[in-house]
Amino acid sequence: MSQQRHGSTPGEADGVPAFPDLPEATIARLPEYLRALHHLAETGAETVSSEGLAAAAGVNSAKLRKDLSHLGSYGTRGVGYDVALLVDQIEYILGLDKNRAVCLVGVGNLGHALAGYAGFASRGFRVVALFDADPKKVGEQINGLTVQHTDDLERVAAEESIAIGVIATPPGTAQAVADALVAAGVTSILNFAPGVLSVPSNVDVRKVDLAIELQILSFHEHRKASLTALPGGRSAPPANGGQEAVGS
Amino acid sequence: MSQQRHGSTPGEADGVPAFPDLPEATIARLPEYLRALHHLAETGAETVSSEGLAAAAGVNSAKLRKDLSHLGSYGTRGVGYDVALLVDQIEYILGLDKNRAVCLVGVGNLGHALAGYAGFASRGFRVVALFDADPKKVGEQINGLTVQHTDDLERVAAEESIAIGVIATPPGTAQAVADALVAAGVTSILNFAPGVLSVPSNVDVRKVDLAIELQILSFHEHRKASLTALPGGRSAPPANGGQEAVGS
DNA sequence: CGCGATTTGTGCACGCCTTCACAAGCGCCT
DNA sequence: AGGCGCTTGTGAAGGCGTGCACAAATCGCG
């Protein structure tokens, strides 16, 4: 699936890809739609209604329609959206047809798991290099790749024309690694280390902090606990229909 | 540091903790402030200005002041914020003084790493139970804990009064695990499995999808690539002061 | 060929969040 | 004691995102 250009590729009216500037919120949801669409495609569905796809992606149907309308008009009124076509569109917009090269820095507890994470490869990302500052880890084989020393990061990353760097080092070394990645020409960074990274404005950084997620949940636990003790607070309603309401 | 109640604990005017309802956006930033504050405390700082703390947390100083003002007035004009006091305040609001029990379901590639992730324990979360559906994994020792079978999840989770459940299973079993967690009384779930979870409305779910993060970065790569080819597009400005601009 | 059922695409209003700009408050120095 | 500089806390404005509600468009059927 998702192999050749269809008649008119969305943004290439004239060889120059006129890029629709999508709202950030929309961009963040496109991968979710894509996952739902792949799932639908596996079940053999040819078309989906906005209602159906919205349910599968866990969002409001109006929001979904507005999101997709930003990509252009790829639905048919009275029918719905062509699943295969929409998959191609979203993959094109997200640049997933490029099979981007990813490198991973820091092969510790978390990094080791990320190196073997199947979810990356299955969605078009190739982990092509692993780095670590610990000499004991250098040379180790993980998932068919040899761990290299971070001193070689800049050279190797430039050679392999790596687009995305993943930082899974301890907080103290994250900034130095980011600097090396930037120096090697990497313009997108996924950072698992707690703390703020300083990078040039043309570099995109996304941060994932697992402890922060737990802390946010902890807040809601705290809030819920104090609500149950409060006059107006409904104290743990056990049976409420059962479904719906997905956090954040 | 950060041991006893100070004079008037923020929300306990009358034994009943009146909970300030903070904006979601603020809640999501509090952990970041907390981390920055801990860092400052280690360097021996007594007080911080909003400007200083904002820089350390990577946000706008006005935003930080507004966020903190929601907790109450804990700054001193002309001086700044008392670091130790603010740490206590935020930890109280986030409910981190409760030392919450966490269980982890799915001890695969990612789950194994999460079980050993130091960042959890260091920030007040105790992983007290591990589960997996694979009989070969049951009984395995990880980080001092024995992996138990998911059939026992509901019973054990209820016994240990677990507040937060972490799902790191394959997508197919995530919903069943969520159902079991809910049945055991867990009201907060951190989900690493792709897909949408259906839970009662009193349960909070936060989702972390590593592939989605990469896809969002891929989009920006795609966008940047097409911008450089475009007339108005500034093509890779290499030297731009050097700092600032942290993505999302 | 026309009509009704269905579903998309979107104008509009509302609410949340961010950012600016500044008054109010606090400490220090003279 | 008084004034000055610094910093917080907040009113107001602007922007972004969401969701409703409906017009426009398409298909199928009689």
Side-chain angles (χ1 to χ4, degrees):
Chain A
M1 69 290 281
S2 137
Q3 63 290 58
Q4 79 233 356
R5 292 284 103 67
H6 4 56
S8 66
T9 316
E12 299 190 21
D14 209 22
V16 176
F19 221 71
D21 57 340
L22 311 174
E24 271 298 315
T26 296
I27 298 164
R29 283 188 293 266
L30 287 181
E32 200 70 49
Y33 301 155
L34 186 57
R35 187 195 49 72
L37 284 167
H38 274 135
H39 191 74
L40 284 167
E42 284 172 16
T43 69
E46 293 270 337
T47 60
V48 224
S49 69
S50 64
E51 202 82 33
L53 182 53
V59 301
N60 183 299
S61 68
K63 187 172 357 189
L64 179 133
R65 286 198 298 276
K66 187 153 291 188
D67 283 343
L68 295 186
S69 76
H70 287 129
L71 311 185
S73 276
Y74 293 106
T76 308
R77 292 163 130 104
V79 177
Y81 297 92
D82 182 295
V83 173
L85 175 59
L86 205 50
V87 164
D88 280 3
Q89 283 305 321
I90 296 180
E91 288 187 342
Y92 169 77
I93 288 287
L94 292 179
L96 300 182
D97 47 359
K98 301 294 197 319
N99 205 358
R100 302 189 182 278
V102 175
C103 79
L104 172 62
V105 190
V107 193
N109 204 356
L110 184 59
H112 201 288
L114 293 174
Y117 185 53
F120 289 163
S122 74
R123 301 208 224 173
F125 296 96
R126 292 179 302 120
V127 178
V128 299
L130 306 176
F131 299 95
D132 203 296
D134 184 350
K136 288 197 291 291
K137 298 233 181 78
V138 173
E140 188 178 338
Q141 290 278 330
I142 300 177
N143 225 32
L145 288 172
T146 305
V147 176
Q148 305 175 69
H149 196 275
T150 41
D151 290 348
D152 299 329
L153 197 164
E154 193 172 326
R155 180 180 52 78
V156 174
E159 282 175 10
E160 303 259 6
S161 68
I162 283 179
I164 301 178
V166 178
I167 301 179
T169 67
T173 55
Q175 182 62 58
V177 169
D179 293 342
L181 286 171
V182 169
V186 172
T187 50
S188 289
I189 294 176
L190 179 55
N191 179 29
F192 286 89
V196 181
L197 290 186
S198 292
V199 297
S201 62
N202 62 318
V203 176
D204 288 291
V205 176
R206 290 193 67 84
K207 189 178 146 195
V208 176
D209 190 323
L210 307 178
I212 284 184
E213 300 299 324
L214 285 187
Q215 287 173 334
I216 294 173
L217 287 174
S218 173
F219 167 84
H220 289 295
E221 281 294 311
H222 190 190
R223 181 182 50 76
K224 280 183 281 197
S226 58
L227 276 182
T228 55
L230 228 51
R234 75 265 202 258
S235 60
N240 69 332
Q243 305 313 74
E244 211 181 1
V246 176
S248 173
Chain B
M1 68 291 282
S2 140
Q3 63 289 59
Q4 80 233 357
R5 291 283 102 68
H6 4 56
S8 66
T9 315
E12 297 189 24
D14 210 20
V16 176
F19 222 71
D21 57 338
L22 311 173
E24 270 298 315
T26 295
I27 299 163
R29 282 188 294 265
L30 287 181
E32 199 71 49
Y33 301 155
L34 186 58
R35 186 195 49 72
L37 284 167
H38 273 135
H39 191 73
L40 283 167
E42 284 173 15
T43 69
E46 291 273 335
T47 61
V48 224
S49 68
S50 64
E51 202 83 33
L53 182 54
V59 301
N60 183 301
S61 69
K63 186 169 6 186
L64 179 130
R65 285 198 300 274
K66 186 149 288 187
D67 282 343
L68 294 187
S69 76
H70 287 130
L71 310 185
S73 276
Y74 292 107
T76 308
R77 293 164 130 99
V79 177
Y81 297 93
D82 183 294
V83 173
L85 174 60
L86 204 48
V87 164
D88 280 2
Q89 284 306 320
I90 295 180
E91 288 188 342
Y92 169 76
I93 288 287
L94 292 179
L96 300 181
D97 46 0
K98 300 296 197 318
N99 206 359
R100 300 188 184 281
V102 175
C103 80
L104 172 61
V105 189
V107 193
N109 204 358
L110 184 59
H112 201 287
L114 292 175
Y117 184 54
F120 288 163
S122 74
R123 301 208 224 173
F125 296 96
R126 292 180 300 121
V127 179
V128 299
L130 307 176
F131 300 96
D132 202 296
D134 184 352
K136 287 196 293 291
K137 299 234 180 76
V138 173
E140 189 179 338
Q141 290 278 328
I142 301 177
N143 224 32
L145 288 172
T146 305
V147 176
Q148 305 177 69
H149 196 274
T150 42
D151 289 348
D152 299 329
L153 196 166
E154 192 171 328
R155 180 180 52 80
V156 174
E159 282 174 11
E160 303 261 6
S161 68
I162 283 179
I164 301 177
V166 178
I167 301 180
T169 67
T173 55
Q175 181 61 59
V177 169
D179 292 343
L181 286 170
V182 169
V186 173
T187 49
S188 290
I189 295 176
L190 179 55
N191 179 28
F192 287 89
V196 181
L197 290 186
S198 292
V199 298
S201 62
N202 63 319
V203 176
D204 288 292
V205 176
R206 290 192 67 84
K207 190 180 146 193
V208 176
D209 190 324
L210 307 179
I212 284 184
E213 300 299 325
L214 285 187
Q215 288 173 332
I216 294 173
L217 287 174
S218 174
F219 167 84
H220 289 295
E221 283 293 311
H222 190 190
R223 181 181 51 75
K224 279 182 281 195
S226 57
L227 276 182
T228 56
L230 228 51
R234 76 262 202 262
S235 59
N240 70 330
Q243 306 314 71
E244 214 180 359
V246 176
S248 172

